[in-house]
Amino acid sequence: MSSNQPNSKPDLYVVARIINVLKNKGRIKRTELATSTGVAYDRLTKYVDWMNQEGLLKIDEEGNIKLTDLGLETYDKLVKWILQYVGKLKFPRF
Amino acid sequence: MSETAVVVKVEELMRALDQVKKYKALARLMVDFLGIVLLSFVALFSLELFFNFYYLTGHFQSYFSYPNILSTVTPSVGGFSSTSFVALIFIAAGIIAGIFWVDRKLKRSKLEQWKSTLDEGFAGAVKLLQELNWDTVFDDIRTSALAYGLYAAIRIIGYWVIAMVILGFPYSIALNLIHTDFNFYLLAFLSLPFVFIFSKKDLQKKYRQITSLDNLLWELRWFNSEFKSAEFKT
């Protein structure tokens, strides 16, 4: 496990929140991202570094974080992937 | 658009699980219910003891003058007395109080605790799915179905006792007119059709809800195995 990795298995909730904020706000700083996502700064840093490594987002020289096309594509994939399973559920009427 | 669809589906799932939570609370409330019914028995026996002592000390002739303390709740075969009727009223009161208590407590169940998480949108839906403990969910569904079935059965018995109390008055008057003895079992038999007529809708609803719980269990079992075995790759 590399030190940049958030966990052995990243929390999809945190990943989804980060991508969602970046989708809506465009280019933002780490601190603002931490505030907007509600994720602790240290934890967010690990996720940002890992996502940067995976090519899901890009950090420029000024420290601004921006979502990449791959990041956006991954988010859509995640939504479709979950919908593929949840969408098939049929709930009884109580 | 797909994000909204996920949120809508997860909301449906959480609402169904809330319903399970509510029914599971029934299992705990069954203890309260039994306690209330038991209290009505204690009250009945205490009252009988009180009147028996009064009778023994020669104060006044009471209806509660049977030598056997259980005579109030165990009418002799084919026979019926005013004492047994008082017992029925006490039990009916206990059952009604128990049903009210359970209904009141059920309405106060803490539901929709997931709402604020789901308000976060798609990310919130992902969080809720991740945090679900499926083994507990399946256990809860099984317990709920059992508790709900038991509660439905107790309600029907309750309706039956109440029907007997209500029908007891016209039945006694009719028997007085034709000078025949009171028959407890005949009254119980005559009350039965009324119970089914008045609780038909309730019975159908309860049956539907138990089958719904069963269907939910199968749906979620499928979902759990598919979702867990699938691997999300970026």
Side-chain angles (χ1 to χ4, degrees):
Chain A
M1 192 173 96
S2 117
S3 60
N4 282 341
Q5 263 187 316
N7 268 317
S8 54
K9 214 175 181 186
D11 187 344
L12 288 180
Y13 165 66
V14 179
V15 175
R17 275 195 72 84
I18 293 172
I19 297 181
N20 201 26
V21 169
L22 289 174
K23 236 176 89 176
N24 294 327
K25 294 198 172 176
R27 195 184 289 261
I28 54 169
K29 295 267 186 202
R30 248 173 234 249
T31 38
E32 198 189 337
L33 185 61
T35 315
S36 303
T37 53
V39 178
Y41 189 82
D42 290 350
R43 194 170 179 220
L44 181 101
T45 301
K46 280 188 179 178
Y47 271 87
V48 166
D49 291 345
W50 173 74
M51 286 168 81
N52 185 30
Q53 222 174 47
E54 295 290 320
L56 302 174
L57 47 85
K58 222 163 74 181
I59 308 167
D60 63 22
E61 305 84 45
E62 288 163 15
N64 290 310
I65 303 163
K66 196 191 165 207
L67 196 66
T68 61
D69 288 342
L70 180 66
L72 202 63
E73 200 182 295
T74 306
Y75 183 74
D76 289 341
K77 251 192 206 172
L78 177 66
V79 173
K80 279 181 191 148
W81 181 73
I82 290 178
L83 193 63
Q84 182 191 337
Y85 297 100
V86 184
K88 283 180 195 164
L89 280 173
K90 285 187 192 96
F91 296 105
R93 278 176 176 267
F94 286 100
Chain B
M1 194 62 198
S2 314
E3 287 170 79
T4 320
V6 171
V7 173
V8 168
K9 270 289 175 186
V10 172
E11 188 175 354
E12 279 180 42
L13 168 70
M14 298 316 285
R15 282 197 193 286
L17 294 180
D18 260 358
Q19 204 66 33
V20 171
K21 199 173 155 189
K22 207 171 158 184
Y23 294 158
K24 201 200 162 196
L26 258 179
R28 284 193 299 272
L29 286 170
M30 282 292 123
V31 181
D32 292 18
F33 182 85
L34 285 175
I36 292 168
V37 174
L38 262 173
L39 264 179
S40 69
F41 274 90
V42 172
L44 174 67
F45 290 145
S46 311
L47 195 72
E48 189 186 11
L49 268 175
F50 171 75
F51 278 105
N52 280 343
F53 275 123
Y54 239 80
Y55 176 64
L56 278 174
T57 50
H59 282 87
F60 61 82
Q61 178 77 37
S62 81
Y63 286 117
F64 301 88
S65 56
Y66 283 78
N68 184 356
I69 190 175
L70 288 173
S71 64
T72 49
V73 285
T74 52
S76 57
V77 178
F80 199 80
S81 64
S82 54
T83 328
S84 310
F85 201 69
V86 170
L88 266 187
I89 292 175
F90 264 84
I91 300 163
I95 290 172
I96 293 171
I99 288 173
F100 270 114
W101 176 264
V102 169
D103 282 348
R104 202 173 129 255
K105 282 266 179 181
L106 273 186
K107 277 179 193 151
R108 285 185 180 180
S109 305
K110 280 182 187 167
L111 304 174
E112 296 193 356
Q113 285 175 317
W114 40 267
K115 203 104 176 67
S116 57
T117 311
L118 200 61
D119 284 345
E120 290 175 22
F122 173 72
V126 172
K127 188 183 185 187
L128 288 171
L129 284 176
Q130 276 185 328
E131 286 178 354
L132 276 177
N133 182 340
W134 292 101
D135 290 334
T136 315
V137 167
F138 297 144
D139 279 348
D140 285 354
I141 296 175
R142 277 189 290 264
T143 316
S144 305
L146 199 71
Y148 202 68
L150 193 67
Y151 183 57
I154 289 171
R155 266 179 93 112
I156 296 302
I157 294 169
Y159 290 146
W160 196 7
V161 174
I162 294 161
M164 279 198 278
V165 170
I166 295 167
L167 277 181
F169 293 106
Y171 181 67
S172 316
I173 294 166
L175 290 181
N176 271 334
L177 291 174
I178 54 169
H179 302 288
T180 315
D181 286 337
F182 209 112
N183 189 317
F184 176 81
Y185 298 101
L186 184 63
L187 175 63
F189 181 73
L190 287 174
S191 315
L192 209 53
F194 287 94
V195 177
F196 285 116
I197 291 166
F198 290 114
S199 58
K200 195 182 161 196
K201 271 193 177 173
D202 196 36
L203 266 175
Q204 282 172 337
K205 191 184 159 200
K206 300 265 180 296
Y207 176 75
R208 220 175 29 242
Q209 280 166 329
I210 291 170
T211 13
S212 298
L213 281 169
D214 206 37
N215 291 341
L216 180 67
L217 182 69
W218 285 107
E219 278 288 315
L220 295 183
R221 267 185 192 282
W222 166 84
F223 176 72
N224 179 41
S225 64
E226 292 283 312
F227 194 66
K228 265 187 176 171
S229 59
E231 191 71 33
F232 176 71
K233 289 184 184 79
T234 56

